[in-house]
């Protein structure tokens, strides 16, 4: 049987130290990656110098002219890796991901044995740096409520691969044939929900499986239910609301959008009123996300840097 060929895709911005750890883990996988393509969203730290010291071997580098967001970064990377007639698999992840040494080997094992027929993507299980299983990255998307429903812990404990309807891009291994069939992630989402939307398209043609024995360490501060977004990072909530609505209207119906508003939207506004500073500004951001989502207004419509400067 022909050896399974794998290239890794890492999207980064201004996280040189985390990227260095991610690259170290990728370069030392027990099943070697053929190439690591780094898409840099116009970093202003030492990222370029770090990558320059590694280029020429298995590391390739593509710097975008401006910060176009993680969604555009993944779209650019997948496009670059599938422009030629190269056939294989692309292992995607953020710059703060740290795959365990045999993570890729565990994924490839199921590809080479052909146990998972009709599979277009395999996903590693995610652990927090503290070793806690993070199930929020894999599951099913409920189009009636527009909510992500993570797969339960007991599926992981059985250690057998299981199907899901969505996966984040952290530790997702995509077949190039599937990529060419489904095309690229939506770069106009900027951040958040580009992975869910992509998996909804992918699921029309291929199955997505989670392999519990393949592990990737990745931090997720959102697991702390008591955590509140600081004002400086509240711009992310705009994209969360906007992109959720766009996905809901495209794949669901308008009634789901209003159920989402009653179940989630009003609760978020109440949370701002009770617990946060800059209350009026935060509420305006949420409402703007609703309006732009309903109008299908995409792109980098809220600039993070400008927002942070304005709030400083």
């Amino acid at each position: 049987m022909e050896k399974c060929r794998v290239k890794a895709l890492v999207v980064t911005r201004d996280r040189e130290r985390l990227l260095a750890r991610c690259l170290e883990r990728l370069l030392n996988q027990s099943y070697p990656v053929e190439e690591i393509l780094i898409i840099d969203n116009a970093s202003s730290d030492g990222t370029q110098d770090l990558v320059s010291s590694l280029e020429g071997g298995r590391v390739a580098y593509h710097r975008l002219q401006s910060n176009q967001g993680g969604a555009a970064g993944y779209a650019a990377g997948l496009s670059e890796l599938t422009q030629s007639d190269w056939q294989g698999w692309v292992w995607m992840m953020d710059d703060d991901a740290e795959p365990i040494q045999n993570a890729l080997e565990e994924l490839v094992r199921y590809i080479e044995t052909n146990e998972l027929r009709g599979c277009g993507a395999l996903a590693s299980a995610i652990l927090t740096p503290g070793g806690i299983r993070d199930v929020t990255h894999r599951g099913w998307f409920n189009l009636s409520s527009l909510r992500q429903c993570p797969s339960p812990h007991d599926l992981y404990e059985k250690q057998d691969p299981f199907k899901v309807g969505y996966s984040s891009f952290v530790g997702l291994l995509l077949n190039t044939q599937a990529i060419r069939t489904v095309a690229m992630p939506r770069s106009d989402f900027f951040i958040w929900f580009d992975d869910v939307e992509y998996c909804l398209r992918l699921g029309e043609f291929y199955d997505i499986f989670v392999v519990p024995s393949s592990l990737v360490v990745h931090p997720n501060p959102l697991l702390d239910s008591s955590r509140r977004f600081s004002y400086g990072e509240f711009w992310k909530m705009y994209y969360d609301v906007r992109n959720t609505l766009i996905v809901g209207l495209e794949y669901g119906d308008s009634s789901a959008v209003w159920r989402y508003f009653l179940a989630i939207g009003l609760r978020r506004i109440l949370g701002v009123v009770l617990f946060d500073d800059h209350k009026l500004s935060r509420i305006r951001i949420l409402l703007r996300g609703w309006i732009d989502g309903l109008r299908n207004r995409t792109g980098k419509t809220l600039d993070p840097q400008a927002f942070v400067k304005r709030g400083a």
Side-chain angles (χ1 to χ4, degrees), residues 282-310:
R282 289 178 189 254
I283 291 172
R284 281 197 295 267
I285 290 167
L286 293 173
L287 293 177
R288 180 177 166 186
W290 273 90
I291 293 169
D292 287 349
L294 292 172
R295 291 178 174 176
N296 197 31
R297 184 169 180 251
T298 59
K300 187 179 177 180
T301 46
L302 180 60
D303 185 278
Q305 286 183 301
F307 176 80
V308 171
K309 287 180 181 178
R310 189 167 62 246

Side-chain angles (χ1 to χ4, degrees), residues 101-145:
Q101 189 173 21
N102 69 338
L104 182 56
E105 182 180 356
E106 287 297 306
L107 295 175
V108 169
R109 178 160 64 94
Y110 287 97
I111 297 171
E112 293 186 334
T113 57
N114 200 28
E115 290 184 42
L116 307 176
R117 297 181 184 277
C119 174
L122 294 170
S124 303
I126 305 297
L127 298 177
T128 69
I132 299 171
R133 184 188 298 127
D134 181 1
V135 298
T136 63
H137 285 261
R138 325 294 191 212
W140 296 88
F141 186 66
N142 188 328
L143 287 170
S144 296
S145 62

Side-chain angles (χ1 to χ4, degrees), residues 266-282:
L266 291 178
R267 187 191 309 167
R268 284 180 175 170
I269 291 174
L270 180 61
V272 167
V273 172
L274 293 177
F275 302 113
D276 293 329
D277 56 5
H278 299 86
K279 299 181 190 301
L280 290 178
S281 179
R282 289 178 189 254

Side-chain angles (χ1 to χ4, degrees), residues 9-234:
L9 169 60
V10 181
V11 176
T12 189
R13 173 172 166 80
D14 284 340
R15 298 202 287 195
E16 173 192 0
R17 182 182 60 82
L18 293 174
L19 177 62
R21 291 173 62 90
C22 177
L23 293 177
E24 179 185 4
R25 293 299 185 102
L26 284 171
L27 289 168
N28 288 287
Q29 285 293 298
S30 58
Y31 189 97
V33 294
E34 196 172 298
E35 178 185 72
I36 304 169
L37 173 60
I38 301 167
I39 301 294
D40 181 4
N41 256 310
S43 292
S44 57
D45 61 359
T47 294
Q48 200 161 5
D49 292 335
L50 167 68
V51 177
S52 295
S53 68
L54 298 171
E55 277 188 291
R58 287 187 287 158
V59 178
Y61 178 69
H62 180 176
R63 177 182 169 86
L64 302 180
Q65 294 302 308
S66 62
N67 177 19
Q68 299 174 31
Y74 282 117
L78 290 180
S79 177
E80 186 168 329
L81 290 171
T82 55
Q83 278 181 353
S84 67
D85 58 358
W86 181 78
Q87 300 288 335
W89 295 75
V90 179
W91 201 20
M92 306 165 67
M93 62 191 66
D94 295 343
D95 53 10
D96 56 352
E98 296 185 29
I100 301 301
Q101 189 173 21
N102 69 338
L104 182 56
E105 182 180 356
E106 287 297 306
L107 295 175
V108 169
R109 178 160 64 94
Y110 287 97
I111 297 171
E112 293 186 334
T113 57
N114 200 28
E115 290 184 42
L116 307 176
R117 297 181 184 277
C119 174
L122 294 170
S124 303
I126 305 297
L127 298 177
T128 69
I132 299 171
R133 184 188 298 127
D134 181 1
V135 298
T136 63
H137 285 261
R138 325 294 191 212
W140 296 88
F141 186 66
N142 188 328
L143 287 170
S144 296
S145 62
L146 304 188
R147 301 185 72 173
Q148 297 176 58
C149 305
S151 295
H153 286 275
D154 61 348
L155 287 178
Y156 289 87
E157 290 164 1
K158 294 175 183 177
Q159 289 297 302
D160 295 321
F162 58 88
K163 287 184 184 181
V164 291
Y166 78 84
S167 168
S168 76
F169 287 153
V170 178
L172 182 65
L173 185 66
L174 275 172
N175 187 291
T176 52
Q177 181 179 342
I179 298 168
R180 293 184 177 103
T181 300
V182 179
M184 300 302 121
R186 288 191 58 167
S187 59
D188 59 347
F189 271 28
F190 190 65
I191 68 162
W192 287 11
F193 251 75
D194 50 319
D195 43 16
V196 171
E197 191 279 332
Y198 191 76
C199 287
L200 289 174
R201 276 189 281 144
L202 181 67
E204 295 177 8
F205 303 93
Y206 299 93
D207 291 328
I208 306 169
F209 283 90
V210 174
V211 178
S213 57
S214 172
L215 300 174
V216 172
V217 177
H218 183 262
N220 185 359
L222 297 180
L223 287 178
D224 180 1
S225 59
S226 64
R227 179 184 182 272
R228 306 293 301 175
F229 277 94
S230 68
Y231 184 67
E233 60 181 352
F234 200 75

